[in-house]
């Protein structure tokens, strides 16, 4: 499935106030956003994911809604690991519900 194909399917099935969230390689995000716009969907948020700040970003999380809703895109960053390899506080807050050991 191509990025354009994904966005075409989303445009056919997305509810009037629905959202589509996609996790993808960071370098692919601009193309997905362009394909979304072509299909009538606009980004409502784009989060750049860093494994740590010593490396370039690896992933992006893009959320889309109907462009006609006029929602401005919010840009965020999330760093997963501190320099010592422990999880950042932000990452813990986002992922805490997925861990059995909720320290």
């Amino acid at each position: 499935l191509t990025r354009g194909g994904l966005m075409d399917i989303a445009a056919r099935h997305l509810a009037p106030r629905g959202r589509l969230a996609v996790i993808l390689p960071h370098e692919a995000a601009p193309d997905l956003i362009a394909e979304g716009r072509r299909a009538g969907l606009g980004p409502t948020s784009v989060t750049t994911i860093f494994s740590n700040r010593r490396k370039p970003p690896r992933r992006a999380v893009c959320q889309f809604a109907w462009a006609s809703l006029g929602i401005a895109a919010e840009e965020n960053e999330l760093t997963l690991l501190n320099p010592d390899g422990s999880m950042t506080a932000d990452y813990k807050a986002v992922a805490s519900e997925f861990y059995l050991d909720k320290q």
Side-chain angles (χ1 to χ4, degrees), residues 2-53:
T2 65
R3 292 179 194 105
L6 173 65
M7 300 315 277
D8 288 339
I9 290 168
R12 285 197 304 271
H13 297 284
L14 197 64
R17 296 189 106 18
R19 305 264 192 229
L20 169 69
V22 180
I23 301 170
L24 69 163
H26 180 260
E27 63 275 3
D31 289 340
L32 185 70
I33 291 168
E35 289 295 337
R37 287 187 173 125
R38 182 195 53 75
L41 302 173
T44 59
S45 70
V46 178
T47 302
T48 300
I49 309 291
F50 293 86
S51 54
N52 64 59
R53 287 299 177 146

Side-chain angles (χ1 to χ4, degrees), residues 51-54 80-88 92:
S51 54
N52 64 59
R53 287 299 177 146
R54 293 182 306 253
L80 305 181
L81 301 175
N82 292 309
D84 67 0
S86 63
M87 288 189 284
T88 64
K92 284 180 183 178

Side-chain angles (χ1 to χ4, degrees), residues 17 44 66 75-76 91:
R17 296 189 106 18
T44 59
W66 290 106
E75 294 192 18
N76 305 293
Y91 181 45

Side-chain angles (χ1 to χ4, degrees), residues 58-94:
R58 302 258 339 246
R59 300 276 182 258
V61 179
C62 299
Q63 188 177 111
F64 296 87
W66 290 106
S68 60
L69 294 175
I71 301 170
E74 181 180 310
E75 294 192 18
N76 305 293
E77 293 181 350
L78 176 63
T79 302
L80 305 181
L81 301 175
N82 292 309
D84 67 0
S86 63
M87 288 189 284
T88 64
D90 288 342
Y91 181 45
K92 284 180 183 178
V94 169

